Amino acid sequence: MTTLEERFRSRFQWGCMADIGSPDYETRMAILRRKEEMDNIKFDDEIIKYIATNIKSNIRELEGALNRLMAFSRLTNVEITIDTAKEQLESIINPDLHREITPQLIIEIVAEHFQKTPQQLISKSRSSDIVRPRQIAMYLCKNMTGSSLAGIGEILGGRDHSTIIHGIEKIEAEYQSNESTQNLIETIRKKINPN
């Protein structure tokens, strides 16, 4: 501020001054409790405390951690325990550790990239804004995991073998012929596996 002219300094001083820092532990707990309330879900206290203790940077990451756990629970129909939470949030809490690339992880990241939910990708919707991300998820699952076509179909809402083949072939053809599709796929691939 010392390099600014006096007239600018005085104008800046008219505004409201606020210290914008990372939320403290109590605030993080309150944010997580509010998110639970808004989404009509309930996690064990130990899980909420684990998230609030380990994610300190910002509200988006806190809420993203809860979203990830909700999505995983709905995708796999598994109740979230503290061990499951630690496993699912490892890439957020310990980003430098190598993470296993699974179809679930790919679905989450593709959904997030297209500003959709994992539930939308596995739904029966045939809307083009859902179908394309779903087909990209199929393609990446095939190319980045050892999952079978049947396994990919199962995790993507119980789709049959021919639907999965069609989706993979469609994205493969686009990848070969369209530079923007290539760039898109590579961007998502880096989000899935930054190493």
Side-chain angles (χ1 to χ4, degrees):
M1 294 293 270
T2 53
T3 58
L4 291 177
E5 291 179 36
E6 181 58 38
R7 63 192 178 102
F8 287 128
R9 258 201 309 269
S10 68
R11 286 194 182 117
F12 281 126
Q13 289 171 345
W14 290 349
C16 176
M17 302 264 289
D19 178 24
I20 303 174
S22 296
D24 62 17
Y25 177 78
E26 286 74 23
T27 306
R28 294 194 301 271
M29 285 292 288
I31 289 164
L32 292 168
R33 292 291 184 214
R34 179 75 181 131
K35 173 79 172 153
E36 275 187 313
E37 191 181 306
M38 287 173 60
D39 291 342
N40 198 24
I41 52 146
K42 184 74 178 134
F43 286 110
D44 187 75
D45 283 350
E46 194 179 2
I47 294 169
I48 298 299
K49 288 175 184 171
Y50 175 75
I51 295 170
T53 302
N54 289 287
I55 299 178
K56 300 174 183 175
S57 53
N58 62 52
I59 294 169
R60 188 180 297 129
E61 280 192 22
L62 281 171
E63 292 186 342
L66 273 190
N67 286 340
R68 178 174 285 202
L69 294 181
M70 283 189 297
F72 179 78
S73 179
R74 289 177 183 149
L75 273 172
T76 60
N77 211 16
V78 167
E79 188 179 334
I80 300 295
T81 64
I82 187 64
D83 291 334
T84 311
K86 286 178 178 177
E87 184 181 306
Q88 289 304 308
L89 300 177
E90 185 178 60
S91 63
I92 297 172
I93 291 170
N94 302 307
D96 297 333
L97 293 180
H98 177 70
R99 64 178 170 187
E100 184 186 359
I101 298 170
T102 63
Q104 289 96 335
L105 175 69
I106 291 171
I107 290 166
E108 286 172 19
I109 291 175
V110 170
E112 184 184 324
H113 182 86
F114 286 97
Q115 298 177 335
K116 305 294 177 198
T117 66
Q119 290 76 23
Q120 287 175 301
L121 261 60
I122 66 172
S123 73
K124 300 297 179 194
S125 172
R126 293 185 180 195
S127 167
S128 61
D129 66 324
I130 301 292
V131 170
R132 181 163 166 74
R134 183 185 295 140
Q135 289 175 333
I136 288 171
M138 292 172 186
Y139 173 83
L140 290 169
C141 283
K142 176 72 176 108
N143 287 284
M144 296 184 79
T145 72
S147 299
S148 66
L149 296 178
I152 295 167
E154 183 61 36
I155 200 154
L156 277 164
R159 288 180 161 75
D160 65 31
H161 186 266
S162 61
T163 303
I164 301 301
I165 289 174
H166 170 75
I168 292 169
E169 287 178 349
K170 186 172 189 303
I171 300 302
E172 179 69 50
E174 277 186 43
Y175 185 87
Q176 299 300 330
S177 62
N178 186 322
E179 191 177 339
S180 70
T181 300
Q182 249 178 44
N183 293 336
L184 171 66
I185 298 289
E186 292 312 314
T187 298
I188 297 171
R189 202 190 293 267
K190 281 187 175 66
K191 287 182 178 180
I192 295 165
N193 186 14
N195 301 326

